[in-house]
Amino acid sequence: DAGITQSPRHKVTETGTPVTLRCHQTENHRYMYWYRQDPGHGLRLIHYSYGVKDTDKGEVSDGYSVSRSKTEDFLLTLESATSSQTSVYFCAISEVGTGREEAFFGQGTRLTVV
Amino acid sequence: DAKTTQPPSMDCAEGRAANLPCNHSTISGNEYVYWYRQIHSQGPQYIIHGLKNNETNEMASLIITEDRKSSTLILPHATLRDTAVYYCIVRASTSGTYKYIFGTGTRLKVLA
């Protein structure tokens, strides 16, 4: 299994509080992604990174920010959590040009905003 | 970004081949098609990917039409453990960076 760890795995927080989710990899992959998954939807891309300090928005980036200060860590921050951000969040990593170009996914973080 | 369209659900008898279709009519020439599956709420699991040619691995076969506007994932001998949601994904390329765009998936139920 690819070395990818999400933390925390479960979190309950109150509306209006800041929340940071962490994705940590040990594969030295250049690309890292944050997705959210809600009932009736597939995974929707929030933000992604293609290198240290290089990030870009995905389909549903409003209300989220990210940071990547080192290769192994990609942080997703909800500056002021809302109930609509209750979801399961998945991190993924990938590399290009190595012959193994699939994305590997973490086990998810279940976030509940009350 | 290229979108994918899949039927929401399918059933397949155990031991038979499961053929899962996907439409990606707006795919660009350098964009790959990937298939993943998700069992319960676990992280999606990679199955196979391809660009133009048909591909086969130990899990499945991928058939891509000549115009690349659609593809079919084939599980040759479905088992109960293949019950899952299957996602057809286009790996989009923008300014030299890559991102994986999911569709809504097909819920495959393998019946005993």
Side-chain angles (χ1 to χ4, degrees):
Chain A
D1 288 344
I4 177 168
T5 305
Q6 292 186 230
S7 59
R9 294 292 313 279
H10 302 271
K11 186 170 182 67
V12 180
T13 192
E14 293 186 349
T15 299
T17 61
V19 176
T20 295
L21 308 182
R22 181 187 185 223
C23 179
H24 178 78
Q25 61 148 327
T26 58
E27 305 294 326
N28 202 35
H29 282 0
R30 187 164 32 132
Y31 287 86
M32 299 186 76
Y33 308 84
W34 276 109
Y35 291 86
R36 62 176 288 173
Q37 185 172 35
D38 305 295
H41 294 273
L43 279 72
R44 292 183 291 175
L45 183 64
I46 304 172
H47 282 279
Y48 67 106
S49 170
Y50 46 95
V52 173
K53 298 195 191 313
D54 291 321
T55 65
D56 205 350
K57 296 179 180 180
E59 310 162 80
V60 291
S61 59
D62 287 349
Y64 302 94
S65 63
V66 290
S67 67
R68 189 158 178 211
S69 59
K70 46 187 178 178
T71 299
E72 56 266 37
D73 288 325
F74 192 33
L75 304 180
L76 177 71
T77 298
L78 292 65
E79 300 289 348
S80 177
T82 68
S83 58
S84 65
Q85 294 175 311
T86 292
S87 188
V88 179
Y89 291 85
F90 288 98
C91 176
I93 63 174
S94 74
E95 191 51 85
V96 179
T98 62
R100 289 294 307 275
E101 299 195 4
E102 65 265 37
F104 300 95
F105 285 81
Q107 289 305 300
T109 294
R110 186 172 296 274
L111 177 68
T112 303
V113 183
V114 298
Chain B
D1 293 334
K3 302 294 184 188
T4 61
T5 305
Q6 300 175 252
S9 64
M10 294 180 65
D11 291 340
C12 176
E14 188 178 21
R16 303 297 294 268
N19 296 275
L20 291 87
C22 178
N23 180 285
H24 32 79
S25 58
T26 60
I27 194 169
S28 297
N30 63 346
E31 293 178 335
Y32 281 74
V33 177
Y34 283 72
W35 283 83
Y36 280 74
R37 72 181 183 185
Q38 187 177 30
I39 298 173
H40 299 302
S41 297
Q42 297 174 16
Q45 175 191 19
Y46 168 80
I47 302 173
I48 199 167
H49 75 282
L51 182 62
K52 312 191 254 196
N53 300 322
N54 298 337
E55 302 287 345
T56 296
N57 63 20
E58 65 278 4
M59 290 182 70
S61 294
L62 173 60
I63 309 298
I64 303 174
T65 58
E66 192 168 341
D67 63 8
R68 302 213 323 123
K69 293 185 177 182
S70 65
S71 60
T72 301
L73 178 73
I74 301 172
L75 307 178
H77 306 286
T79 71
L80 297 178
R81 285 180 293 181
D82 291 323
T83 292
V85 178
Y86 287 78
Y87 292 101
C88 171
I89 296 158
V90 170
R91 191 185 73 176
S93 174
T94 305
S95 302
T97 66
Y98 300 91
K99 53 187 178 182
Y100 298 80
I101 307 300
F102 281 70
T104 52
T106 295
R107 186 173 297 276
L108 175 69
K109 188 173 182 180
V110 180
L111 305 172

